Amino acid sequence: MANQSVDKETENLKSELDNLRKDLGKLSEQVSKTAGAGARAASDETRAEINRLRGELNRLAGYASDHGKAGVDTVHQQVERHPLASLATAFGVGFVLGKLLDRR
């Protein structure tokens, strides 16, 4: 009788272990699906942010380019209006920079 009781308990434990293995398998599968969905969502959000930043960078590059061209045009006009003053200014700046860089 004691043997039958032990055998019955052993069978119950085996059955419970099998159920536990199945439950762990299902849980693992669910976690894997959830992680995959989370990764896809994060990937989509990352792509959207990259596209937003790329657009902002293009906008700023256009802004810098436009203002750079405007600055060059302004300098060109000033040189045309006052060529001698521009030449004297360029010579003075060059002379000062030369003295600052000449460290003997």
Side-chain angles (χ1 to χ4, degrees):
M1 241 184 164
N3 259 350
Q4 287 179 344
S5 178
V6 170
D7 288 342
K8 187 174 181 181
E9 285 298 316
T10 303
E11 288 301 317
N12 285 341
L13 283 173
K14 285 181 182 178
S15 175
E16 289 296 320
L17 283 173
D18 285 339
N19 288 339
L20 185 58
R21 281 188 194 115
K22 289 176 187 173
D23 289 345
L24 282 174
K26 289 177 185 176
L27 180 62
S28 175
E29 188 176 309
Q30 188 61 36
V31 166
S32 190
K33 287 179 183 177
T34 302
R40 281 190 296 278
S43 178
D44 291 344
E45 289 175 12
T46 302
R47 271 193 217 102
E49 184 65 12
I50 287 171
N51 287 335
R52 186 189 71 76
L53 291 173
R54 189 174 287 144
E56 182 70 12
L57 181 62
N58 287 337
R59 186 185 70 78
L60 291 173
Y63 178 81
S65 175
D66 291 345
H67 281 73
K69 288 176 185 174
V72 168
D73 289 343
T74 301
V75 169
H76 183 70
Q77 289 171 0
Q78 289 297 324
V79 169
E80 283 183 351
R81 286 185 192 141
H82 309 286
L84 292 178
S86 298
L87 182 63
T89 301
F91 177 79
V93 169
F95 182 77
V96 169
L97 284 176
K99 287 295 183 182
L100 289 173
L101 294 175
D102 185 30
R103 295 185 180 184
R104 288 190 194 186

